[in-house]
Amino acid sequence: MATIGKLTQLRDLSIVDCPGVTTDGVVQLAPLTRLHKFSVDRCSQLSGSLTELLSTMPDLEEIRMDGIKVSPKDVSQLQQLTRLKVLSLKDSGVDDESAESLSELTGLELLNLDNTAIGDEGISHIKKLTGLKRLFLSGTRVTDRSMVDLANLQELEGLFLSDTGITDDGLSAIRGLSKLWMLGLNNTQISGESLPVLSEFANMKFLLIIGTSISNTEINSLIEQNPELDVTPPPVRNATLIAPTRPK
């Protein structure tokens, strides 16, 4: 880490598969104040206190700390990063208290909170991030109540709600998100009753509905109305939470 810390012109740093790297060791990266992108993955000894170091890097536009447990105090350190556009904290333990700090990051365009403890109360803060284009909430505690708040995020292009308590009523609440072209609803309580709502998303290109009660006939009906729509299933294939590149 000390050697990397001497590369003061570095703009992009990714630390992957480094179980020997500790939070104390990463402190040696403090001279990298010009970093624009920082990501860590599969580094088991790193802790959420890493955000204190990151808060001293004002040019950061992208942070990915997936799998690193963070506290509300850790998350609050990020409020100083006014240029931040991308923040991924999936599998991090982010909760409703942490969401209040996240709401201060008004420049965010992508926020990934998959498999965290955030729920409806937290979304009441996230709704302030009106510039968000992609929001990942799969595997969280959000319910239909959150959908009313998410309806405020008019710039959303991708919304991922798989493995949550969302029902047809909740989906109806976001029917006004006209820019949506990616929607993840795997393993939710969405049914064929939502077909009229799904049909209203004129720009929809990717729809994930594995594990719902929407029938093949109903899926075919959607595709007939929107031939460019890619629905999973059919055919059944591995759905990924990594957002695809928008078609030209």
Side-chain angles (χ1 to χ4, degrees):
M1 290 295 107
T3 301
I4 297 176
K6 295 178 182 179
L7 304 175
T8 56
Q9 301 301 311
L10 201 62
R11 296 291 191 272
D12 189 344
L13 177 60
S14 179
I15 305 173
V16 181
D17 286 323
C18 296
V21 174
T22 66
T23 302
D24 289 340
V26 172
V27 170
Q28 298 177 80
L29 301 177
L32 304 182
T33 56
R34 297 188 179 184
L35 273 184
H36 287 187
K37 297 181 180 181
F38 177 82
S39 65
V40 291
D41 191 14
R42 298 188 296 279
C43 299
S44 57
Q45 294 195 57
L46 292 181
S47 69
S49 61
L50 174 62
T51 58
E52 183 175 358
L53 170 64
L54 297 180
S55 70
T56 66
M57 300 175 177
D59 291 339
L60 277 172
E61 298 178 355
E62 179 175 325
I63 294 175
R64 298 181 183 272
M65 292 176 55
D66 300 334
I68 296 178
K69 299 304 178 184
V70 295
S71 68
K73 179 181 178 181
D74 296 331
V75 176
S76 69
Q77 297 282 353
L78 301 176
Q79 294 182 69
Q80 304 176 53
L81 301 176
T82 57
R83 298 185 181 183
L84 202 60
K85 295 180 180 179
V86 175
L87 178 60
S88 185
L89 295 171
K90 67 180 181 180
D91 299 301
S92 66
V94 166
D95 57 15
D96 291 338
E97 184 179 352
S98 301
E100 187 170 359
S101 295
L102 291 175
S103 69
E104 300 298 322
L105 298 171
T106 54
L108 281 182
E109 296 180 2
L110 184 153
L111 178 60
N112 191 336
L113 297 176
D114 280 352
N115 302 318
T116 61
I118 197 165
D120 297 329
E121 183 179 345
I123 298 302
S124 70
H125 297 293
I126 299 300
K127 72 177 182 181
K128 300 175 185 177
L129 301 176
T130 54
L132 277 178
K133 295 182 179 180
R134 300 185 187 185
L135 179 58
F136 297 76
L137 295 170
S138 295
T140 62
R141 300 175 181 176
V142 299
T143 69
D144 287 346
R145 176 183 159 194
S146 291
M147 298 302 99
V148 177
D149 289 329
L150 292 181
N152 293 315
L153 304 179
Q154 290 293 314
E155 297 301 313
L156 275 182
E157 298 176 354
L159 179 59
F160 299 85
L161 299 164
S162 297
D163 299 292
T164 63
I166 303 305
T167 71
D168 296 318
D169 289 338
L171 188 63
S172 180
I174 61 169
R175 67 198 310 160
L177 298 179
S178 60
K179 294 185 179 182
L180 273 184
W181 61 276
M182 298 177 288
L183 183 58
L185 298 169
N186 290 342
N187 303 314
T188 59
Q189 299 179 51
I190 301 300
S191 73
E193 292 185 12
S194 286
L195 253 64
V197 176
L198 293 172
S199 299
E200 290 181 22
F201 295 118
N203 294 314
M204 191 63 63
K205 295 293 183 292
F206 298 93
L207 178 62
L208 307 178
I209 50 175
I210 293 174
T212 68
S213 61
I214 298 178
S215 68
N216 282 336
T217 299
E218 291 164 334
I219 292 172
N220 286 329
S221 176
L222 282 174
I223 295 175
E224 286 178 6
Q225 297 176 60
N226 182 359
E228 296 184 3
L229 182 62
D230 184 352
V231 182
T232 305
V236 176
R237 58 178 181 257
N238 292 328
T240 176
L241 293 181
I242 299 176
T245 302
R246 181 164 189 160
K248 300 292 184 180

